[in-house]
Amino acid sequence: MDETSKASVRRSRDQIYATRYFVGSGLDIGAGLDSLGKHVSKFPKIKAVRNWDLNDGDAQFLHGVGDESFDFVYSSHCLEHMENPMLAISNWLRVLKLGGFLIISVPDEDMYEHGIWPSPFNLDHKWSFTIYKDSPELPNSINVLNLVKNFSPETQCERVCQIKDGYIDGLLGEDQTLGNAECAIEFVLQKRRPPLSLAMQQADQLEWQGQEQKACNLFLRVIQEAPVTFDAYNRLTNILQRRGNIAEAESVWRDCLSHLPDSHAAKLYLALFLISIGRYDEGFSQRDVLVADQRRTPVTPPTMYPKWQGESLQNKSIVIWTEFGFGDEIMFARFADVFKRHYHAAKVSIVCQKPLASLFNALPGVDAIFADQEAAQVPKHDFWVFPHSIPVHYSLEKNGIPALVPYLKIPEAELNQVQTWLPLRKAGRLRVGLVSRGSASHENDQLRSIADLNVLKDLFELPGIDWIDLQKDVPLGGFDHIELPKNTSITHLGGRLTDFMQTGAICAQLDLLISVDTSIVHLAGALNIPVCLMLPTFSDWRWGVHQINSLWYPNTQIFRQEHIGQWAGIVNEIRAMLCDRLRELNV
């Protein structure tokens, strides 16, 4: 009885309570009629105490109490009544400010229960407590040292002690708390700033849970304490960028570069950020000097003639040299026509990866195509250039993105060759291609690819669609582990496709392609086939920040994740779009 009153007399004799633990605004959990607020005169640094009792709700959760609201949290003989003491302490720490103190008292099972269970003096006790025993003597016994250890990643243990003020040993069968005696275990935890590595993990978890503002706060805290932590800048700017805080995101990147002036990653990511927000001239110029030539291609570029630096191409020849992935090469192949029309080049050649060579033969403005294995056979030109270097000298801000589409064309013979692979066209039905995964070697593949096709199940339930599975390198495109609705029409073609010409011939006969960010999006976009592009929160610079239609492929509609790892919103949007298309067909 009146455990807080008895403890306050004892604590008033120990200055650490008055000067360290009971300071500022506090929360008294299970206050009852004997609240700490009655004893503030003994602890002059207490500003206010809020009581929490049965009428306020379940103390395990503290619903309605904001995170980091109190300087200290106090609980006297309440934890033993909780269904889940671990959950209770987790939430008590949640509402505690960093650096604040959690002060808890619980009955000692030997002094209060006298080693008897259920408790002979309070049948509502769900747990008994001991500081430590090798093996529990009571069925619901909790070792306080083990309990404290479980919270060591986020707390510093200040004290664990057995309180025996006024307690008389040997009075078995008597509840001495009814008098002046204390027979308790008291422990005090300080909520400390977690290690930065743990803070990053917590921020990552919060972002995956959709709690982006809390994640931002943690990333900011990491940056403040360790301003050389590049990943914190990267994660923070990504959230800011997709929430529309572009100026703030740029400020964070500039701050990153000021603290990491020699960081290649900081310079490169700032350049890519600038490109993504449409500051092409600045971004491409900064990016170009950061990517070494030997990193950009498996085929060594020419050494006998110079790299193009914006010189006049009147009556000159230039070769666009293979660089990075298939999608990049398709995307930048449009600049061959720019060299012919804008720069009046006499000859334009392209060296590309072999699976693209036959596809590129019909490109406008191109005089010769060489597969990368044929690089040694490329005749001398006046200049060579990497695709990504072209916008350094050809201003996209001044001239605009070359949007001539389609700039790829599939020969009739190729279309006829694959036509029999496709289901016959039927009135009122859509023929829709699907690609759910990119290359596993891609640095962002974990986020950009859809590992489980059950995510797309709502799409497969729509009637009136003939699905064309174009996924390569996965048995049946990954449909092995999904239960499809009856009468679902799916044709698996990914395993039959040998090059981009064949894939393009299929795409050219689709009504629509639905795909994650991989090279087939560029192929379909260059053919001017309608595309639904599904993007993760971390997406490539070429898709911009908030565009709903691609600036590079006008017939490509962009669907973006609102929260990291969550595809459901995108699927719902695409489903609604498909329903509209089907209604139009059947009007």
Side-chain angles (χ1 to χ4, degrees), residues 434-438 444-457 459 471 474 477-478 514-517 534-536 561 565-568 570-571 574:
L434 178 67
V435 177
S436 59
R437 301 186 188 189
N444 194 40
D445 193 60
Q446 184 179 3
L447 293 178
R448 71 164 180 170
S449 290
I450 299 174
D452 183 1
L453 285 180
N454 281 292
V455 169
L456 305 175
K457 197 168 182 180
L459 302 184
Q471 187 68 52
V474 179
I514 299 174
S515 179
V516 297
D517 184 10
M534 301 182 288
L535 289 183
Q561 283 184 353
Q566 297 183 16
W567 294 104
I570 287 179
V571 171
I574 293 178

Side-chain angles (χ1 to χ4, degrees), residues 42 48 57 81 127 134 163 177 192 233 278 283 291 334 353 474 488 503 517:
K42 299 183 179 69
H81 298 279
W127 307 92
D134 286 333
I163 309 298
T177 64
R192 62 184 178 186
Y233 292 102
V291 186
R334 71 186 73 203
Q353 295 171 75
V474 179
T488 302
T503 306
D517 184 10

Side-chain angles (χ1 to χ4, degrees), residues 215-236:
C216 282
N217 294 340
L218 267 181
F219 288 134
L220 277 170
R221 196 213 110 197
V222 172
I223 289 170
Q224 290 166 359
E225 294 189 22
V228 294
T229 310
F230 172 79
D231 193 42
Y233 292 102
N234 188 29
R235 300 294 297 279
L236 175 60

Side-chain angles (χ1 to χ4, degrees), residues 275-439:
I275 297 172
S276 73
I277 62 173
R279 285 160 62 179
Y280 299 118
D281 295 350
E282 183 182 3
F284 274 110
S285 294
Q286 290 183 15
R287 177 198 175 282
D288 204 51
V289 298
L290 294 169
V291 186
D293 286 356
Q294 61 268 26
R295 272 198 65 234
R296 297 165 77 148
T297 176
V299 182
T300 303
T303 57
M304 300 302 291
Y305 46 98
K307 183 178 181 180
W308 184 63
Q309 304 288 347
E311 296 91 342
S312 171
L313 293 176
Q314 185 83 35
N315 298 320
K316 301 289 185 180
S317 60
I318 188 168
V319 55
I320 302 174
W321 204 262
T322 179
E323 180 189 31
F324 294 122
F326 295 123
D328 293 294
E329 296 197 1
I330 295 172
M331 178 178 175
F332 283 92
R334 71 186 73 203
F335 285 99
D337 192 57
V338 170
F339 284 140
K340 273 292 180 71
R341 292 177 179 270
H342 184 86
Y343 288 97
H344 307 293
K347 180 181 179 181
V348 179
S349 302
I350 291 181
V351 175
C352 63
Q353 295 171 75
K354 185 177 180 180
L356 293 169
S358 61
L359 182 72
F360 280 2
N361 275 321
L363 274 169
V366 175
D367 298 289
I369 300 292
F370 300 90
D372 48 6
Q373 292 109 324
E374 303 168 329
Q377 302 170 28
V378 176
K380 183 179 178 181
H381 288 63
D382 292 299
F383 300 100
W384 67 272
V385 66
F386 283 128
H388 285 76
S389 297
I390 297 173
V392 177
H393 310 291
Y394 176 82
S395 171
L396 297 180
E397 293 180 37
K398 177 183 177 182
N399 300 304
I401 293 171
L404 175 66
V405 290
Y407 58 87
L408 292 179
K409 185 177 181 181
I410 307 299
E412 195 71 28
E414 297 290 341
L415 294 173
N416 293 335
Q417 183 181 0
V418 302
Q419 194 170 36
T420 57
W421 300 358
L422 295 165
L424 292 174
R425 283 202 175 274
K426 298 177 183 177
R429 295 183 69 83
L430 289 173
R431 192 184 274 174
V432 180
L434 178 67
V435 177
S436 59
R437 301 186 188 189
S439 170

Side-chain angles (χ1 to χ4, degrees), residues 171-273:
L171 295 179
L172 298 179
E174 184 174 332
D175 180 0
Q176 295 191 44
T177 64
L178 296 176
N180 295 321
E182 285 190 88
C183 47
I185 298 170
E186 183 174 274
F187 58 101
V188 179
L189 305 178
Q190 183 180 29
K191 184 176 179 179
R192 62 184 178 186
R193 294 184 179 274
L196 294 182
S197 59
L198 181 59
M200 287 294 291
Q201 292 174 21
Q202 291 173 341
D204 181 68
Q205 291 171 358
L206 288 168
E207 186 178 0
W208 277 90
Q209 293 165 2
Q211 300 183 62
E212 292 179 346
Q213 186 55 55
K214 291 181 180 180
C216 282
N217 294 340
L218 267 181
F219 288 134
L220 277 170
R221 196 213 110 197
V222 172
I223 289 170
Q224 290 166 359
E225 294 189 22
V228 294
T229 310
F230 172 79
D231 193 42
Y233 292 102
N234 188 29
R235 300 294 297 279
L236 175 60
T237 52
N238 182 263
I239 297 175
L240 293 173
Q241 184 174 319
R242 67 177 185 260
R243 295 174 82 182
N245 301 333
I246 304 302
E248 187 178 353
E250 181 178 355
S251 177
V252 171
W253 275 127
R254 299 290 182 188
D255 184 49
C256 174
L257 196 56
S258 71
H259 287 100
L260 296 164
D262 299 320
S263 168
H264 179 273
K267 295 174 184 176
L268 178 61
Y269 277 59
L270 173 58
L272 297 177
F273 167 77

